[in-house]
Amino acid sequence: TQCTTRYQNRTENYLSKCSSPKNVYVLPPPSLPGRLGNSFSTTAARASLSTQSVRSLLSSRPLVSNCLIYGLLYTGSEAIQQTLIKKVMGDTEDKEYDLGSMARYWVVGTFWFPVVMYNWYLWLDAKFVGTAMKTIGKKLLLDQFLISPPILVGFYVAMSLMERKEDVLLECREKLV
């Protein structure tokens, strides 16, 4: 592979073009000798390599990526909702975060939803290939009417099971029927 080096300072910025991102190196700028130049480029190199490593991991393992992202989104959404209800609006006497609830959302968002959705969209994209309006319409209808009801039922049942409720279908019946 052909690679060039990368120099950075206030007046120059040469970025190398490599066929492999692993071969990009940041060298000390020639005009900044000594500790400052080495410190700057070492930090930039570490940040660049760690960013590339994370991107490589997430792009090579889409299911793992989905699990991490969905888990963070579900947990973050619950944390934001609790913050708004308990701290901002003050609608409840209890001002403490319900960590058990956040943990339940993390479990569902990390281990259940992404696995189901990943496999569902793999199947859907393989079965209905293309971007024509008719194909998109079929995908949309199947997504809304075929997979959404079981996912919603599964969500309420899973949450009820983790909350150790006696009637695990009660909340499902109240909210979906």
Side-chain angles (χ1 to χ4, degrees):
T1 60
Q2 178 186 3
C3 289
T4 58
T5 56
R6 176 179 171 185
Y7 293 98
Q8 291 179 327
N9 66 24
R10 293 178 192 169
T11 59
E12 298 174 303
N13 187 12
Y14 301 107
L15 178 60
S16 68
K17 297 289 183 188
C18 295
S19 59
S20 170
K22 294 178 185 175
N23 296 328
V24 175
Y25 300 101
V26 177
L27 299 177
S31 62
L32 293 175
R35 195 163 190 213
L36 178 61
N38 291 338
S39 170
F40 173 76
S41 32
T42 303
T43 304
R46 283 188 199 138
S48 176
L49 289 175
S50 64
T51 302
Q52 289 173 359
S53 298
V54 169
R55 285 184 181 171
S56 175
L57 173 70
L58 294 179
S59 65
S60 66
R61 303 197 186 282
L63 181 57
V64 172
S65 175
N66 285 351
C67 290
L68 292 172
I69 291 168
Y70 274 75
L72 289 172
L73 287 173
Y74 272 74
T75 308
S77 298
E78 178 63 11
I80 290 169
Q81 181 178 352
Q82 286 186 28
T83 301
L84 290 174
I85 291 172
K86 296 179 180 209
K87 311 267 182 183
V88 176
M89 293 186 275
D91 288 348
T92 64
E93 296 289 325
D94 182 21
K95 300 293 183 193
E96 297 296 317
Y97 285 102
D98 182 0
L99 297 178
S101 176
M102 284 189 215
R104 288 187 291 275
Y105 277 94
W106 176 78
V107 167
V108 169
T110 302
F111 300 110
W112 193 69
F113 272 113
V115 175
V116 171
M117 300 303 280
Y118 176 78
N119 289 302
W120 166 252
Y121 288 118
L122 277 179
W123 176 84
L124 194 63
D125 287 340
K127 188 76 173 165
F128 300 96
V129 179
T131 57
M133 290 303 284
K134 188 175 179 180
T135 304
I136 292 172
K138 288 177 186 178
K139 287 181 175 182
L140 180 68
L141 288 173
L142 287 171
D143 194 51
Q144 290 301 304
F145 297 109
L146 186 62
I147 196 69
S148 292
I151 283 179
L152 289 172
V153 169
F155 171 77
Y156 288 120
V157 169
M159 293 300 270
S160 295
L161 285 170
M162 287 187 283
E163 291 169 359
R164 296 187 175 134
K165 292 184 177 178
E166 285 189 29
D167 185 2
V168 294
L169 295 174
L170 177 64
E171 188 174 9
C172 189
R173 285 192 302 267
E174 289 174 350
K175 294 188 177 179
L176 298 178
V177 178

